[in-house]
Amino acid sequence: MLRHLFTLIWNRKKSNFLLISEIFFSFLVLFGVLSFGLYNYHNYTKPLGFAYDNVWSLSLRSASDSMAQNLLVQDQLMQRVRSFPEVEHAAFSSDNTPFSFSTMNSPLSYGNVKNLHANMYEVEDNYKEVFQLDVPQGRWFGPQDKTSLHQPIVINRMLKEQLFGKEEALGKLLPVDSSHYQVVGVADYFRAGSEYGAEEPAFFTRINRETTEEPRTWGNLLLRLKPGTGVAFEAKMMKELGSIAKGWTMEVTTLEKMRQNKSKMTLVPLLALGLVCGFLVFNVALGLFGVLWYNINRRYSEIGLRRAIGASSGQIRNQFVGEVLVIATFGLLLGLLLAVQFPLLDVFQLSPVIYWQSIGLAAVLIFLLAAVCALYPSQQAAKIYPAVALHEE
Amino acid sequence: MLKNYIKIAWAVLQRRKFFTFISLFGISFTLMVLMVVTSLFDHVFGPQMPERETDRLLFVNMLKEETKEGYSSSGPPSYYFLDRYVKKLETPEKVSINSVFITVNSYVNNKKLALDLKHTDQTFWEILDFEFLEGRAISQQEVENSSHVAVINQHTRTQYFGAKEALGQPIEVNQVKYKVIGVVKDVSVLRLNSYADVWVPITLKRNEFKGPSLRGSFFAILQAKKGGSLTEMKEEYARMMTQVEPSNPKEKASLYSFPDTILETFARTLLGKGKDSNVAMFYSLISLAAFLFMLLPTINLVNINISRILERSSEIGVRKAFGASSWVIIGQFVVENVFLTLLGGVLGFLLAAGALALINDSGVIVYADLGLNLRVFAWGLLLCLVFGLISGVYPAFKMSRLHAVQALKGGSK
């Protein structure tokens, strides 16, 4: 039966060519959009590794050229911020806070791994409390690091895997410029870019504001607030801080707002692509439906004859649905030839699982689409009375 | 003759409503998507308020320093660089220096407003064509005196002042008070070079004017003389770049900075890795995407057209038997198809207008003012016709080759 169907379609490959190419292109479109969607979904299901609710980010740009003056203002700002009862924890950090648009990269080497680019976050000790980070191995920064010989760093799970593999990471020294980093702790997940971003290797270095060599001002003050603190406090805080840091540019925003902005960057294109893809597929479905309907009507006499020599209406229906599925299979096979190149050649460096999943999903969707479009016209064909059909002929 | 064809086409359209619906749906939705995309494109790169004379404007947004060891850093240039080198150029008629906008907070009645603040010189207002609803631009005098004056946009005006008078009133932004001297129409956030909520004199940012660093937080806009060419400005800029001394002479850094049109800026950051603008490549990528997108609906339409025309084989048979040539028949079907596509086109325009209104209201793009202008309309119409021809010619050609006898018998194989 199945072989028979294949020969049937193969013999009419010329007249089915357009349908086959339509299926082929729809498959590719679905494959592309699904890969993009699944990639983001896979990332989304992984834990972020930090808590961002009730966290505010206060970005600071100093006004004066005098470093001594700026440092003084910076210390006063921190003191004042900590004295508010609404503020639970506060920490300075470099500009690349979670969900921000800036990144900092630094190459790390160890053993066979050379120049692994990892995200670098410069943070103060309180950063752990602000974001409620989890450090299962080793420890977070503490006052004992003030006097340590090497600059301490805390790395995330991903960096440990890529740099050390199965080896123990704690206590390892990593060369950097003229000195060394020493790994003091391994944090769990830390995906600070966006909820839809892939997990990347990252490490934290400690901000030491008491150091006398090369003092710096920091671009961001991160605050964890008591739940329910609102804009009234924000206005009051900004007014007071404004009187301390005269002429500085200050902007406060919630991490929640930043998260939404960042996820818009992924969701808007995804939504636009999804809409366009949905429209294309719907268009194809309508076309398929129309063409099948028409084709089946043309084969009126054939159906009548088959019915007259004893084919049941179920058999007729199955034959037509079968034919359509075979056409879909031809289109799919062509599409598959192209699509498998993606996981095999490792295009765009996505994990092959995502490609295989989207190939499978796209194939299922195409078959479903074809079957649904074929069902109604076939049903109509199956209802034809042999006498009427043969009489018309 | 043509009138007859159109009458026939109308009759055919009404005969099989479902098929007509499929064709019209395909055409109108495809066109809608294309129109929305061209409108977005126009919104970002085309001549729009306030950058109306785009063929006379070039923008400097980036400066890249690259050391021999391969360490590179790029970002907006500094005031020092723009003032010392770019302002001295001779081919441009005017050069404006303005700052990258920064977001700052303002609080009114327990409500927070996040406002984007931009520092501008006076030339900025001469080069760009802002639509003033009230008041005036920042004057030369006010820039020189670093007066605390501000031009705000319409949105900020309603948010901050509500129904009250805004002109001459103080507005507090980032804990500093400015006097409002003008209100302009909102500028879309996608017009990076002119967008802001509040514009204030550049001299208020004086502390960033000093220092020999080439990188900073400023943009420049170059306006060519009337009838002057952009290429001349680019050439002079390139000559000037060879004279620039790196900020740290020990490092022997190579410097890259280009005056670009808006499209070139975009193509450069997206494809050119900062050195080539790659506009040609950008256009080919866009055309490829558009082609691929239109391929599916076109195949679909051809498919449906074949079925529809096959249905009319007896009609073709009769016409052939009475002596109509293949060309006449092809002509008829092409006219019918173009008619159908134009109809779909009109529907597409209506749909596109709706979709654009939706995008404008949704706030996805801040202060977006997407609209169907005449250029976009013309593009859509052209696409319509190409579309109609592609989907009409092949089936018509196929049918016209039928022999009269076969056609009369009822169809082709």
Side-chain angles (χ1 to χ4, degrees):
Chain A
M1 175 71 182
L2 205 63
R3 235 182 99 192
H4 175 68
L5 278 178
F6 269 94
T7 14
L8 238 157
I9 300 295
W10 185 250
N11 288 338
R12 286 191 287 134
K13 56 185 174 299
K14 225 180 123 189
S15 55
N16 284 326
F17 167 73
L18 280 174
L19 279 183
I20 291 176
S21 58
E22 218 171 314
I23 299 273
F24 165 73
F25 284 117
S26 328
F27 174 74
L28 287 186
V29 169
L30 273 174
F31 168 68
V33 175
L34 283 173
S35 301
F36 182 42
L38 278 174
Y39 168 74
N40 289 315
Y41 177 72
H42 272 259
N43 289 334
Y44 183 74
T45 51
K46 285 182 201 156
L48 274 175
F50 59 92
Y52 58 82
D53 49 326
N54 295 315
V55 177
W56 293 0
S57 156
L58 175 63
S59 74
L60 303 161
R61 294 287 168 273
S62 54
S64 124
D65 285 338
S66 147
M67 185 50 85
Q69 174 70 27
N70 285 341
L71 287 173
L72 193 68
V73 172
Q74 174 169 281
D75 282 345
Q76 284 173 345
L77 280 176
M78 182 53 106
Q79 265 174 27
R80 184 70 194 100
V81 161
R82 288 216 168 116
S83 69
F84 288 117
E86 287 90 344
V87 175
E88 285 185 335
H89 300 283
F92 278 114
S93 96
S94 46
D95 284 343
N96 53 345
T97 61
F99 305 133
S100 73
F101 285 89
S102 56
T103 56
M104 272 167 66
N105 265 295
S106 172
L108 294 176
S109 305
Y110 178 80
N112 294 330
V113 189
K114 293 268 174 286
N115 287 333
L116 174 74
H117 275 269
N119 286 307
M120 173 175 161
Y121 300 92
E122 297 171 280
V123 301
E124 265 193 319
D125 295 359
N126 267 329
Y127 194 82
K128 179 176 186 273
E129 274 77 40
V130 171
F131 282 115
Q132 298 173 349
L133 298 181
D134 195 15
V135 186
Q137 283 179 48
R139 59 173 180 84
W140 183 253
F141 307 123
Q144 67 265 49
D145 290 317
K146 272 181 205 165
T147 51
S148 59
L149 184 62
H150 304 289
Q151 204 187 343
I153 60 169
V154 173
I155 63 177
N156 75 346
R157 210 182 52 121
M158 195 71 173
L159 183 63
K160 180 194 175 288
E161 271 170 28
Q162 292 192 2
L163 206 57
F164 301 104
K166 292 207 167 61
E167 268 183 69
E168 182 60 45
L170 292 182
K172 288 275 157 57
L173 291 178
L174 302 171
V176 48
D177 292 335
S178 51
S179 69
H180 284 88
Y181 284 143
Q182 183 165 37
V183 180
V184 299
V186 181
D188 208 14
Y189 281 91
F190 191 72
R191 295 190 302 125
S194 144
E195 290 162 292
Y196 301 96
E199 197 188 357
E200 287 171 355
F203 67 99
F204 303 95
T205 61
R206 182 172 186 268
I207 291 179
N208 186 1
R209 275 194 291 137
E210 283 145 43
T211 181
T212 41
E213 44 186 288
E214 278 192 69
R216 287 173 58 186
T217 57
W218 299 95
N220 261 286
L221 215 177
L222 292 158
L223 316 166
R224 171 165 285 281
L225 290 121
K226 294 226 165 78
T229 313
V231 74
F233 169 69
E234 192 186 317
K236 181 183 138 208
M237 179 180 85
M238 291 307 280
K239 204 167 178 93
E240 291 200 18
L241 296 185
S243 63
I244 295 173
K246 286 208 177 64
W248 284 39
T249 308
M250 289 191 282
E251 190 212 346
V252 74
T253 180
T254 60
L255 267 273
E256 171 61 22
K257 188 87 184 287
M258 289 166 75
R259 180 191 68 82
Q260 285 169 9
N261 279 341
K262 206 63 194 274
S263 63
K264 240 195 212 175
M265 301 286 289
T266 311
L267 288 181
V268 169
L270 193 62
L271 194 74
L273 267 181
L275 276 177
V276 168
C277 168
F279 147 68
L280 281 181
V281 170
F282 184 58
N283 199 355
V284 168
L286 280 178
L288 214 58
F289 184 76
V291 172
L292 291 177
W293 192 10
Y294 176 77
N295 281 350
I296 286 167
N297 276 334
R298 256 198 335 163
R299 288 162 72 182
Y300 222 63
S301 54
E302 176 197 328
I303 298 163
L305 200 62
R306 283 200 61 200
R307 290 279 277 151
I309 55 176
S312 72
S313 60
Q315 275 175 321
I316 301 278
R317 192 193 59 222
N318 288 346
Q319 189 210 334
F320 281 113
V321 174
E323 274 185 27
V324 175
L325 290 184
V326 169
I327 291 180
T329 314
F330 275 117
L332 275 183
L333 285 177
L334 276 178
L336 211 58
L337 274 181
L338 253 167
V340 289
Q341 308 301 324
F342 283 78
L344 294 183
L345 299 177
D346 201 15
V347 188
F348 298 133
Q349 274 85 44
L350 294 193
S351 97
V353 182
I354 291 170
Y355 285 130
W356 292 122
Q357 278 182 349
S358 44
I359 286 178
L361 210 58
V364 169
L365 281 176
I366 291 278
F367 273 128
L368 216 65
L369 189 82
V372 167
C373 290
L375 217 55
Y376 179 71
S378 313
Q379 204 85 42
Q380 294 294 102
K383 272 194 227 150
I384 292 170
Y385 287 107
V388 181
L390 288 173
H391 176 77
E392 269 188 18
E393 178 70 5
Chain B
M1 197 62 171
L2 197 66
K3 211 173 130 193
N4 251 342
Y5 283 169
I6 289 175
K7 268 189 192 158
I8 296 175
W10 184 245
V12 172
L13 281 188
Q14 285 180 316
R15 203 167 58 200
R16 282 272 197 162
K17 298 241 166 55
F18 182 65
F19 279 82
T20 312
F21 166 71
I22 296 174
S23 311
L24 281 180
F25 174 83
I27 298 167
S28 56
F29 262 76
T30 311
L31 274 170
M32 179 195 85
V33 173
L34 285 171
M35 295 278 299
V36 168
V37 172
T38 40
S39 174
L40 261 175
F41 190 84
D42 208 55
H43 184 71
V44 184
F45 304 116
Q48 294 267 332
M49 189 269 311
E51 292 139 20
R52 244 191 269 273
E53 284 184 285
T54 33
D55 50 342
R56 277 176 70 197
L57 298 180
L58 287 179
F59 302 88
V60 181
N61 297 355
M62 285 290 246
L63 186 120
K64 185 171 169 181
E65 292 177 294
E66 201 174 89
T67 63
K68 267 213 185 109
E69 296 87 61
Y71 173 80
S72 75
S73 77
S74 65
S78 66
Y79 186 86
Y80 166 81
F81 166 78
L82 295 173
D83 189 52
R84 178 159 174 187
Y85 297 100
V86 180
K87 262 231 143 124
K88 304 260 162 70
L89 294 177
E90 278 159 15
T91 32
E93 184 176 312
K94 284 171 188 164
V95 177
S96 153
I97 303 178
N98 50 82
S99 77
V100 176
F101 69 81
I102 42 171
T103 311
V104 288
N105 293 331
S106 179
Y107 302 88
V108 233
N109 318 325
N110 267 341
K111 208 172 62 181
K112 175 170 134 183
L113 278 180
L115 297 175
D116 290 329
L117 182 77
K118 193 180 183 77
H119 295 75
T120 73
D121 56 8
Q122 196 251 336
T123 330
F124 181 81
W125 302 95
E126 289 169 11
I127 295 180
L128 299 176
D129 207 355
F130 281 89
E131 224 174 295
F132 273 87
L133 302 171
E134 289 170 60
R136 56 176 178 86
I138 297 168
S139 73
Q140 185 66 39
Q141 195 66 42
E142 281 159 341
V143 172
E144 272 163 25
N145 300 346
S146 10
S147 321
H148 282 73
V149 291
V151 173
I152 60 175
N153 68 356
Q154 202 181 353
H155 182 257
T156 310
R157 186 203 182 291
T158 12
Q159 292 291 308
Y160 200 96
F161 297 101
K164 278 178 270 169
E165 174 71 27
L167 227 51
Q169 297 303 306
I171 181 168
E172 193 176 324
V173 181
N174 196 30
Q175 329 296 330
V176 180
K177 278 201 172 76
Y178 301 91
K179 195 178 99 184
V180 177
I181 57 164
V183 181
V184 292
K185 224 178 134 198
D186 293 340
V187 177
S188 164
V189 71
L190 295 175
R191 309 302 286 212
L192 197 67
N193 291 286
S194 39
Y195 161 81
D197 291 303
V198 178
W199 294 264
V200 300
I202 194 165
T203 36
L204 292 169
K205 224 176 150 80
R206 221 173 224 147
N207 63 309
E208 286 182 43
F209 288 5
K210 289 165 280 180
S213 168
L214 297 178
R215 288 264 320 280
S217 59
F218 292 89
F219 288 162
I221 307 175
L222 281 60
Q223 187 184 38
K225 296 193 178 92
K226 273 226 164 65
S229 81
L230 296 183
T231 344
E232 267 172 46
M233 288 208 299
K234 284 183 187 169
E235 278 162 9
E236 198 197 352
Y237 196 94
R239 277 198 302 280
M240 175 276 288
M241 280 307 291
T242 59
Q243 314 288 320
V244 179
E245 289 159 32
S247 36
N248 191 349
K250 269 184 281 174
E251 277 174 1
K252 282 259 171 17
S254 337
L255 297 170
Y256 303 94
S257 170
F258 305 88
D260 281 329
T261 62
I262 304 173
L263 181 66
E264 281 167 345
T265 312
F266 184 74
R268 196 187 293 280
T269 23
L270 196 71
L271 303 166
K273 302 221 161 85
K275 285 178 198 170
D276 309 301
S277 71
N278 270 344
V279 174
M281 173 132 149
F282 180 67
Y283 271 123
S284 4
L285 275 180
I286 285 195
S287 326
L288 187 74
F291 171 74
L292 283 179
F293 168 69
M294 284 176 76
L295 196 62
L296 254 183
T298 312
I299 296 177
N300 199 20
L301 220 56
V302 172
N303 225 337
I304 288 182
N305 280 340
I306 291 179
S307 306
R308 296 192 77 162
I309 291 180
L310 282 178
E311 257 190 337
R312 294 164 66 186
S313 50
S314 51
E315 175 197 331
I316 296 169
V318 171
R319 292 203 53 202
K320 280 212 145 185
F322 278 94
S325 72
S326 293
W327 287 110
V328 172
I329 303 217
I330 290 184
Q332 180 191 342
F333 283 114
V334 167
V335 169
E336 270 182 33
N337 249 292
V338 169
F339 177 69
L340 184 72
T341 6
L342 286 181
L343 206 64
V346 172
L347 274 177
F349 280 122
L350 297 179
L351 285 172
L356 291 177
L358 260 179
I359 296 179
N360 285 347
D361 289 345
S362 71
V364 174
I365 306 164
V366 179
Y367 307 142
D369 185 21
L370 298 172
L372 296 161
N373 66 19
L374 272 177
R375 261 163 355 104
V376 175
F377 186 87
W379 273 104
L381 211 64
L382 185 75
L383 287 169
C384 254
L385 285 173
V386 173
F387 216 55
L389 286 176
I390 294 173
S391 63
V393 168
Y394 173 69
F397 173 71
K398 209 176 156 188
M399 267 330 269
S400 70
R401 286 193 314 178
L402 271 186
H403 285 292
V405 181
Q406 220 179 13
L408 276 173
K409 252 187 81 184
S412 67
K413 216 177 87 97

